[in-house]
């Protein structure tokens, strides 16, 4: 879509029809969404830093009611004492999966890929064994039975996480097909389509298919199809370059030995996670991306039909959490939100939006391998979307009650 047409579309997103009705989060017009709970936000963020993160932030953008926008930061962006900034760049981890899913859905819209045919037909010969029936749809839903290659790289028995990072992550450059080969050696874990099990390898496969079908590198597909048209100037994919260009936040890996300091893990090739988690972005760019994505055809990224498929979330083994095509659905105390989360060594974030994309929330902390930080960051979502008080009723928290959002299965990456 030409930039001028896309710009006009984005300016009119606030008038697009809601895709999902019946949720306080999706309400527009006379029925405004809940006001963010400023006190609850600050308290939740302070719990994140108390749990071990140097800093944390929450950025809320409400495109119907700009007066409800909030940007709140606590702590530091590095251990030198630089205050946390909400406009700086960071590694978004598995939020990358949303970008990869958009690339795949756009190929399907062009007729270059059938989501329900075996993906091996869209891959370089030999990438998957003959007869493997896994489809793009199953990979997008984490229901393909693919072993997660990350388990081999980060979960070696008896080895410290920080040692594994230095030995196999920070400086090592992996070819995407080698990551897939690690998974294939384990065989299919279950009959594709019969169960849910989170696997980063599936999103490596999807990007390999996109490259094979188009003859273009993943970074170009990302830039030409998403970041360029949307003007996401702080979003990039530079694997295997280790540095983050421009103003960015320092990421820290929590040491398994509590007596040792946090390890600066900012610089890493990110080739070990590639199209499943290596994008660098900012809160502002994630807001613009989610707003456009959840507007469907009006946003210029995917069609309304593609968006319906992406948001048709199936249950997972975590209550209140569903997963569609590269999008996670979370049930909060006042309704459902769509987006994703991501943890890559040193960074973790959650990026979600109301079903119509009119309010987005990006929360972030610069420490990983710390379950208390992960859970604390998830708990920032409810005060950001639902405020301090909201109607009680079936499936809703009582007025003023804390609402815990379960930490989900991509907590390592």
């Amino acid at each position: 879509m030409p930039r001028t047409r896309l710009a006009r579309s984005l300016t009119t997103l606030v008038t697009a029809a809601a895709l999902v009705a019946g949720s306080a989060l999706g309400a527009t017009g006379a029925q405004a969404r809940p006001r963010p709970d400023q006190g609850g936000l600050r308290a939740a963020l302070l719990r994140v830093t108390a749990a071990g993160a140097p800093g944390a932030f929450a950025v809320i953008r409400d495109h119907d009611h700009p007066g409800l926008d909030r940007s709140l930061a606590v702590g530091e962006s590095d251990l030198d004492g630089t205050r946390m900034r909400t406009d700086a760049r960071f590694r978004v981890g598995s939020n990358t999966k949303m970008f990869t899913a958009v690339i795949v859905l756009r190929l399907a819209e062009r007729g270059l890929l059938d989501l329900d045919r075996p993906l091996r037909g869209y891959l370089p010969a030999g990438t998957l064994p003959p007869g493997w029936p896994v489809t793009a749809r199953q990979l997008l839903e984490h229901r393909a039975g693919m072993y997660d290659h990350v388990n081999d790289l980060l979960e070696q028995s008896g080895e410290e996480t920080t040692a594994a990072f230095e030995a196999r992550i920070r400086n090592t450059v992996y070819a995407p097909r080698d990551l897939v080969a690690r998974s294939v050696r384990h065989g299919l874990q279950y009959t594709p389509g019969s169960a849910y099990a989170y696997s980063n390898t599936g999103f490596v496969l999807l990007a390999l298919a996109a490259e094979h079908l188009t003859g273009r590198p993943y970074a170009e597909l990302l830039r030409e199809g998403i970041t360029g048209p949307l003007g996401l100037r702080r979003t990039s994919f530079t694997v295997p370059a280790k540095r983050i260009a421009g103003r960015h936040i320092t990421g820290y890996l929590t040491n398994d030995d509590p007596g040792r300091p946090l390890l600066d893990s900012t610089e890493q090739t990110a080739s070990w996670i590639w199209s499943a988690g290596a994008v660098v972005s900012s809160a502002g760019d994630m807001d613009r991306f989610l707003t456009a994505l959840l507007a469907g055809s009006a946003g210029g990224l995917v069609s309304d039909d593609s968006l319906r498929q992406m948001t048709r979330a199936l249950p997972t083994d975590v209550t209140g959490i569903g997963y569609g095509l590269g999008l996670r659905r979370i049930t909060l105390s006042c309704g459902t939100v769509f987006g994703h989360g991501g943890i890559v060594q040193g960074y973790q974030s959650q990026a979600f939006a109301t079903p119509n994309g009119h309010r987005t929330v990006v929360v972030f902390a610069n420490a990983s391998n710390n379950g208390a930080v992960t859970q604390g960051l998830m708990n920032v979502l409810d005060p950001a979307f639902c405020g301090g008080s909201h109607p009680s009723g079936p499936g809703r928290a009582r007025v003023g009650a804390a609402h815990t959002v379960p930490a989900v299965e991509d907590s390592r990456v």
Side-chain angles (χ1 to χ4, degrees):
M1 175 181 290
R3 181 184 297 271
T4 53
R5 181 182 170 195
L6 176 60
R8 289 195 298 270
S9 296
L10 288 173
T11 60
T12 60
L13 293 184
V14 295
T15 64
L19 294 171
V20 178
S23 166
L25 288 171
T28 58
Q31 185 184 3
R33 284 180 293 277
R35 180 178 299 275
D37 177 7
Q38 187 87 356
L41 282 171
R42 178 171 290 278
L45 291 172
L46 288 173
R47 285 192 289 272
V48 172
T49 55
F57 69 65
V59 175
I60 303 168
R61 293 291 177 264
D62 194 301
H63 298 285
D64 287 326
H65 307 281
L68 300 181
D69 288 357
R70 298 288 185 274
S71 293
L72 184 62
V74 300
E76 301 170 344
S77 67
D78 59 53
L79 294 182
D80 293 330
T82 306
R83 66 182 178 86
M84 177 59 73
R85 299 182 61 109
T86 61
D87 60 348
R89 306 180 76 214
F90 55 89
R91 298 187 184 277
V92 304
S94 284
N95 285 298
T96 301
K97 292 178 173 66
M98 293 189 287
F99 293 92
T100 301
V102 167
I103 290 172
V104 171
L105 267 294
R106 288 165 67 94
L107 291 175
E109 290 173 5
R110 293 167 56 190
L112 297 178
L113 180 149
D114 187 326
L115 296 179
D116 298 305
R117 292 178 64 87
L119 191 74
R120 67 180 184 276
Y122 304 109
L123 289 163
T127 305
L128 289 179
W132 275 33
V134 298
T135 67
R137 187 182 304 278
Q138 291 164 347
L139 292 167
L140 287 164
E141 295 174 335
H142 297 289
R143 293 176 179 269
M146 295 294 300
Y147 178 85
D148 192 347
H149 72 272
V150 168
N151 293 331
D152 285 355
L153 297 179
L154 298 185
E155 299 295 331
Q156 294 281 338
S157 177
E159 187 166 17
E160 300 288 348
T161 301
T162 46
F165 173 75
E166 296 290 13
R168 293 191 297 275
I169 302 300
R170 188 192 291 278
N171 298 306
T172 308
V173 177
Y174 297 96
R177 287 191 65 173
D178 290 341
L179 301 179
V180 173
R182 286 174 176 268
S183 171
V184 168
R185 283 198 294 268
H186 291 269
L188 287 174
Q189 303 298 289
Y190 53 83
T191 301
S194 66
Y196 172 90
Y198 194 87
S199 175
N200 292 283
T201 310
F203 280 74
V204 174
L205 274 168
L206 290 164
L208 280 172
E211 289 191 336
H212 185 62
L213 290 169
T214 63
R216 310 292 292 280
Y218 177 83
E220 287 187 14
L221 296 175
L222 179 72
R223 182 171 60 252
E224 294 176 5
I226 302 176
T227 64
L230 290 183
L232 307 184
R233 296 181 177 85
R234 296 184 181 180
T235 302
S236 62
F237 181 89
T238 58
V239 174
K242 295 195 297 182
R243 295 184 64 252
I244 301 177
R247 181 187 294 121
H248 62 274
I249 299 167
T250 303
Y252 294 97
L253 187 62
T254 304
N255 223 302
D256 288 325
D257 179 356
R260 301 185 64 186
L262 298 173
L263 174 69
D264 184 341
S265 54
T266 307
E267 294 192 0
Q268 55 179 288
T269 71
S271 65
W272 64 284
I273 196 64
W274 202 54
S275 57
V279 162
V280 173
S281 190
S282 68
D285 275 10
M286 292 303 297
D287 157 57
R288 191 170 178 85
F289 170 72
L290 277 172
T291 302
L293 174 58
L294 290 171
S297 297
L301 288 183
V302 297
S303 68
D304 289 341
D305 180 64
S306 291
L307 181 60
R308 278 191 290 271
Q309 295 183 66
M310 294 180 75
T311 56
R312 193 177 298 132
L314 298 175
T316 69
D317 54 0
V318 180
T319 302
I321 307 292
Y323 205 96
L325 304 186
L327 279 180
R328 179 169 285 129
R329 182 190 65 202
I330 292 181
T331 302
L332 301 176
S333 64
C334 58
T336 59
V337 292
F338 289 94
H340 217 288
I343 303 180
V344 68
Q345 303 298 305
Y347 301 88
Q348 53 184 303
S349 56
Q350 300 290 331
F352 282 87
T354 54
N356 53 22
H358 292 184
R359 177 183 290 184
T360 67
V361 173
V362 179
V363 297
F364 168 84
N366 56 341
S368 68
N369 286 30
N370 183 324
V373 170
T374 301
Q375 184 61 71
L377 203 63
M378 295 294 289
N379 290 343
V380 182
L381 293 175
D382 207 75
F385 279 110
C386 301
S389 62
H390 31 266
S392 297
R396 301 181 187 274
R398 66 184 183 275
V399 174
H403 182 78
T404 299
V405 179
V408 288
E409 63 278 272
D410 56 346
S411 58
R412 288 196 321 279
V413 183

